[in-house]
């Protein structure tokens, strides 16, 4: 069954860095695009970044361009989100996502940015 395990969240100071990890199982990982979304309390879920399967073409939301980088390791069935220069507004639960064509979501990992 499609399943994601997200990790790497935590508490960091503004300007700090984190790397989120999404380990996938239950489907041929290398054949599908992956994405990260986030949701803060009281707000709608927001697209963060995506990466294609073969060419590894990436797309990042304007709010994170230049600070976050999505990547993948197909040998490990893993998607990463490197987050640098973190801001308080980045505080949210971050979710791994795929549409194959049904939508599947991970459980999320909490990122808190606070001084």
């Amino acid at each position: 069954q499609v399943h994601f395990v997200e990790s790497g969240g935590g508490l960091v100071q503004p300007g700090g860095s984190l790397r989120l990890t999404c380990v996938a199982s239950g489907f041929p990982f290398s054949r599908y695009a992956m994405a990260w979304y986030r949701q803060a309390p009281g707000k709608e879920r927001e697209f963060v970044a995506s990466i294609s399967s073969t060419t590894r073409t990436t797309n990042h939301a304007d709010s994170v361009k230049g600070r976050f980088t999505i990547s993948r390791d197909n040998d490990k069935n893993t998607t990463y989100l490197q987050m640098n220069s973190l801001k308080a507004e980045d505080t949210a639960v971050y979710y791994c996502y795929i549409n194959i064509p049904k939508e599947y979501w991970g459980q999320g990992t909490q990122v808190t940015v606070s001084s």
Side-chain angles (χ1 to χ4, degrees):
Q1 306 298 319
V2 173
H3 182 65
F4 301 129
V5 178
E6 295 134 312
S7 62
L11 174 64
V12 298
Q13 293 181 299
S17 298
L18 287 172
R19 188 177 74 164
L20 305 185
T21 298
C22 172
V23 180
S25 61
F27 67 98
F29 177 83
S30 64
R31 301 180 187 177
Y32 294 95
M34 297 292 298
W36 287 95
Y37 284 73
R38 66 186 182 185
Q39 187 169 26
K43 297 183 179 179
E44 297 295 320
R45 191 168 296 176
E46 175 188 25
F47 170 79
V48 176
S50 64
I51 184 166
S52 67
S53 60
T54 303
T55 63
R56 298 193 296 275
T57 301
T58 62
N59 185 31
H60 297 81
D62 289 341
S63 60
V64 305
K65 284 181 179 177
R67 300 188 298 118
F68 292 9
T69 303
I70 190 172
S71 62
R72 67 191 295 161
D73 185 339
N74 288 341
D75 291 335
K76 297 181 178 180
N77 288 3
T78 300
T79 306
Y80 303 97
L81 185 67
Q82 179 66 47
M83 305 185 295
N84 299 325
S85 302
L86 283 161
K87 306 174 181 179
E89 65 189 56
D90 296 317
T91 297
V93 178
Y94 285 72
Y95 297 92
C96 200
Y97 167 86
I98 192 172
N99 188 333
I100 58 175
K102 181 181 178 180
E103 292 185 348
Y104 295 91
W105 296 91
Q107 293 296 306
T109 184
Q110 176 69 51
V111 172
T112 303
V113 186
S114 179
S115 60

